[in-house]
Amino acid sequence: MNKEDIKSVLTKVKSGEIEIDAAMDELKDLPFKDLGYAKIDNHRSLRNGFPEVIYCENKSLDEVEGIIKEMMKKRNNILATRANREVYNRIKDIEPEAEYYERAKIIFIKKRELKKTENKIIVVTGGTSDLAVAEEAAITAEVLGNSVERLYDVGVAGIHRLLLNMDKLNEASVIITVAGMEGALASVVGGLVDKPVIAVPTSVGYGTNFGGVSALLTMLNSCASGVGVVNIDNGFGAAYLAATINMQIENAGKEGR
């Protein structure tokens, strides 16, 4: 349930369209629904602006299906991350319109239309090998209602590729940089722009990359101002943070008009 749903229920009670008991039935699962193996946070969109997101790894197929079935009752958009094709095949049996983004490992079920932001998030990668994490970020940001642009394979080994796209970086309100190896991309971008840069270290790289730790430490030690860092391979977390910032910028711009 979002704010509009609750306002609608209360308005119907006020006008006498529905009885108080009927309204209580609609609101009884706030703030969460206990399924035994999961407690679905129906209050999330009221507090944070977006419904709860399902992380599918290490959940059984029955658990994922049960959670999605319950969430569908609320008529909210549903986003599921780290979902393999086996999970998707199970979910499309209960919701044939479910969309699957294989590289990003994301399932999206659209129940409400989302107006896209005017302000833009751009997702930038060091290399093509970073695309799985980058697409998790890009798709997440899009289904949360943001306009998203992609700028891929512009890492520091060929920095001219990045510099030739400065216009795209400057047009964005928030930048997500995704890079493995030594993770220098975030510092380079952070030194070129006057907007928030969210850095995502990836586990792409040879031995002393240490599964993304070397990129993580480089990004955490960036001397460029305005760079924040999320966990290794956490494209979703970067997108959620970017979406929150972008929405605040968008709303502030509308209030100032």
Side-chain angles (χ1 to χ4, degrees):
M1 256 188 180
N2 58 27
K3 293 178 182 178
E4 287 70 30
D5 290 328
I6 293 177
K7 284 181 181 178
S8 176
V9 171
L10 296 177
T11 300
K12 288 176 182 177
V13 172
K14 183 178 180 180
S15 67
E17 188 177 341
I18 62 173
E19 298 291 333
I20 291 176
D21 288 344
M24 288 297 293
D25 284 339
E26 291 199 42
L27 299 174
K28 67 182 179 182
D29 290 333
L30 290 176
F32 66 87
K33 176 70 173 180
D34 192 347
L35 300 180
Y37 54 84
K39 294 176 176 62
I40 300 174
D41 187 358
N42 295 320
H43 231 190
R44 187 76 58 91
S45 61
L46 291 174
R47 300 193 314 271
N48 297 353
F50 308 113
E52 184 174 13
V53 176
I54 305 163
Y55 181 83
C56 295
E57 275 187 7
N58 299 320
K59 289 183 176 70
S60 71
L61 293 175
D62 288 341
E63 288 167 347
V64 174
E65 180 180 341
I67 292 168
I68 288 180
K69 276 184 176 178
E70 185 60 37
M71 291 181 70
M72 286 172 62
K73 296 177 183 177
K74 301 299 180 184
R75 304 181 302 279
N76 281 324
N77 292 336
I78 297 172
L79 174 64
T81 66
R82 301 300 170 96
N84 58 33
R85 184 159 284 278
E86 186 180 15
V87 174
Y88 170 63
N89 289 338
R90 173 70 77 93
I91 298 312
K92 74 176 182 179
D93 286 340
I94 62 172
E95 179 48 77
E97 294 185 5
E99 300 175 67
Y100 186 52
Y101 301 89
E102 188 149 18
R103 192 154 204 178
K105 293 185 177 179
I106 280 176
I107 297 170
F108 180 54
I109 300 172
K110 182 161 66 171
K111 293 296 181 182
R112 299 173 185 267
E113 288 296 328
L114 278 175
K115 183 180 178 183
K116 296 291 186 180
T117 59
E118 295 178 13
N119 293 328
K120 188 165 49 181
I121 295 169
I122 189 167
V123 182
V124 185
T125 73
T128 307
S129 296
D130 301 310
L131 256 59
V133 177
E135 278 298 293
E136 182 181 65
I139 298 298
T140 296
E142 285 175 339
V143 303
L144 293 179
N146 297 272
S147 298
V148 176
E149 185 163 357
R150 293 158 171 82
L151 180 59
Y152 290 166
D153 194 26
V154 291
V156 298
I159 201 168
H160 56 291
R161 300 171 299 181
L162 179 67
L163 298 176
L164 286 172
N165 286 280
M166 282 302 302
D167 55 335
K168 294 181 179 179
L169 296 179
N170 288 324
E171 288 169 1
S173 294
V174 187
I175 299 171
I176 298 173
T177 60
V178 184
M181 300 293 186
E182 84 294 346
L185 180 64
S187 289
V188 172
V189 173
L192 292 172
V193 299
D194 61 350
K195 51 209 64 188
V197 176
I198 302 171
V200 188
T202 74
S203 52
V204 172
Y206 297 103
T208 54
N209 172 264
F210 296 119
V213 173
S214 63
L216 172 65
L217 293 177
T218 297
M219 291 173 175
L220 287 172
N221 284 283
S222 173
C223 64
S225 303
V227 177
V229 187
V230 299
N231 208 345
I232 298 167
D233 292 337
N234 190 8
F236 165 77
Y240 201 101
L241 177 56
T244 302
I245 296 170
N246 197 39
M247 294 293 186
Q248 292 295 324
I249 294 171
E250 182 105 345
N251 292 336
K254 289 177 180 177
E255 290 171 4
R257 289 174 188 168

